[in-house]
Amino acid sequence: MPGLPNNMKQALLDAHNRARAEVGAGSLAWSSRAEQQAAGWAQVLSRRCDIEHSRGSGFGENLFMGTLGFYDELDGVQSWKDEQRHYSGQPLSRELVPLVGHYTQMVWPDTRELGCATATCNNMMILVCNYYPPGNYLGESAW
């Protein structure tokens, strides 16, 4: 299965690192291990043509699904970044995570690695990004 082109990998990494720099989090590095995990899960999701989180991978995970040709990978990252408007550094709670969990995973201070992959189904693009170490621990803050 072909991976993302190098220029898209760099664009995804840059978009994450810009969001992280805004809150003083260290830069992420691209991880082939996280990318392989993301690619495997993206293929599973493409067969289901739906998105749901994997379980027990050891990675944090963000998912996005949008119409192929209208949305691209960077639109997915922007949708996660847009959750920032609901977050002001407070500790995460079960009620808060559904509103901000994609964003807080992007900027989680202990996370150091990123790997993303896409798959398609029924004219839809599925984006999976994996993060290591994972974040979003209840009772802790992303910044």
Side-chain angles (χ1 to χ4, degrees):
M1 104 190 81
L4 291 170
N6 286 336
N7 63 334
M8 180 53 71
K9 291 178 188 180
Q10 190 62 53
L12 289 166
L13 190 59
D14 290 346
H16 277 80
N17 284 334
R18 279 192 300 274
R20 294 175 65 81
E22 287 179 10
V23 297
S27 294
L28 299 177
W30 192 264
S31 164
S32 59
R33 194 172 62 104
E35 179 184 10
Q36 289 171 352
Q37 173 65 31
W41 189 242
Q43 288 305 310
V44 169
L45 295 178
S46 72
R47 290 190 293 276
R48 297 178 185 173
C49 208
D50 196 8
I51 56 174
E52 68 179 83
H53 286 288
S54 64
R55 302 216 188 309
S57 71
F59 291 92
E61 181 178 81
N62 280 345
L63 305 173
F64 176 82
M65 187 174 191
T67 304
L68 194 61
F70 186 79
Y71 293 103
D72 69 13
E73 295 86 350
L74 294 177
D75 291 313
V77 174
Q78 186 60 52
S79 76
W80 305 332
K81 170 82 165 67
D82 288 347
E83 294 177 0
Q84 182 179 10
R85 68 180 175 267
H86 302 294
Y87 189 70
S88 56
Q90 65 271 45
L92 292 178
S93 65
R94 291 191 189 282
E95 299 75 29
L96 188 58
V97 168
L99 298 174
V100 303
H102 300 101
Y103 168 71
T104 53
Q105 178 58 84
M106 286 177 66
V107 300
W108 199 259
D110 296 334
T111 298
R112 293 289 173 252
E113 299 176 9
L114 170 70
C116 303
T118 59
T120 59
C121 67
N122 296 343
N123 204 37
M124 301 295 281
M125 179 212 47
I126 297 170
L127 171 65
V128 178
C129 286
N130 282 161
Y131 304 84
Y132 188 81
N136 284 346
Y137 294 103
L138 296 181
E140 295 185 24
S141 300
W143 40 267

